[in-house]
Amino acid sequence: MTMWTAPRNGLQRLFDWKVQGVRWVEIIGVLLVAIMIFSVYVAKAGAAREGVRISELERQIDDNGERVRLLRAEVARLEQPGRLEALSRSAGLAPVDVHRRKDEGALAAIAPIPEPRPVIVAPTTAASVEAAAAEAPEGPEDGR
């Protein structure tokens, strides 16, 4: 039994050790409780911040949903066939006459003429002009 009593006496001495009349185990216990209280406070504060952020995002989602609903109603109003017909008549537009139809062969005649492409001239330098003059054959230009 002496084997078990030595560690127990050492352990008992650690639990009985006091700092200014307070056992060190009690000091550590109070510090652990204080740390737990602080960590719970920090966690609750973080959760409250996230809760505020979530409620703000939900409010934005509701606002955007309301805007989408209003815009869909506006599109439906603007796309009404009667309204479009009245606008086209006031602009002088009318349906295409059925007799103005053309066949495939006539399409080339009514196709728009393409505009000529602009010619881009590269800027020349004095050195390139001299090089071109040096490469030109000497002699009469008219071939005689």
Side-chain angles (χ1 to χ4, degrees):
M1 283 221 194
T2 60
M3 189 165 90
W4 292 105
T5 59
R8 186 170 180 172
N9 286 339
L11 191 60
Q12 186 65 34
R13 275 192 303 164
L14 285 175
F15 280 107
D16 289 339
W17 182 45
K18 293 182 179 182
V19 176
Q20 294 186 359
V22 180
R23 288 189 288 180
W24 73 276
V25 174
E26 293 171 351
I27 293 171
I28 291 176
V30 169
L31 287 175
L32 289 175
V33 169
I35 290 171
M36 286 191 308
I37 290 171
F38 180 73
S39 63
V40 168
Y41 171 75
V42 168
K44 285 181 74 174
R49 279 193 305 270
E50 290 300 316
V52 168
R53 186 169 177 263
I54 288 171
S55 64
E56 182 180 318
L57 289 174
E58 286 176 345
R59 184 186 51 79
Q60 288 177 358
I61 289 171
D62 291 342
D63 290 346
N64 286 341
E66 181 69 20
R67 274 190 248 146
V68 166
R69 192 176 60 78
L70 290 173
L71 288 173
R72 284 185 179 153
E74 181 71 12
V75 166
R77 185 187 68 80
L78 292 174
E79 289 180 342
Q80 290 177 348
R83 180 184 168 280
L84 293 175
E85 185 178 351
L87 284 174
S88 65
R89 288 183 197 260
S90 66
L93 301 175
V96 176
D97 186 19
V98 177
H99 301 292
R100 292 188 61 184
R101 195 175 74 169
K102 298 285 183 183
D103 60 352
E104 286 180 25
L107 290 179
I110 61 173
I113 300 171
E115 293 184 21
R117 299 175 90 187
V119 177
I120 300 173
V121 178
T124 59
T125 62
S128 63
V129 172
E130 289 175 6
E135 291 178 5
E138 294 183 15
E141 292 183 6
D142 59 356
R144 292 187 211 171

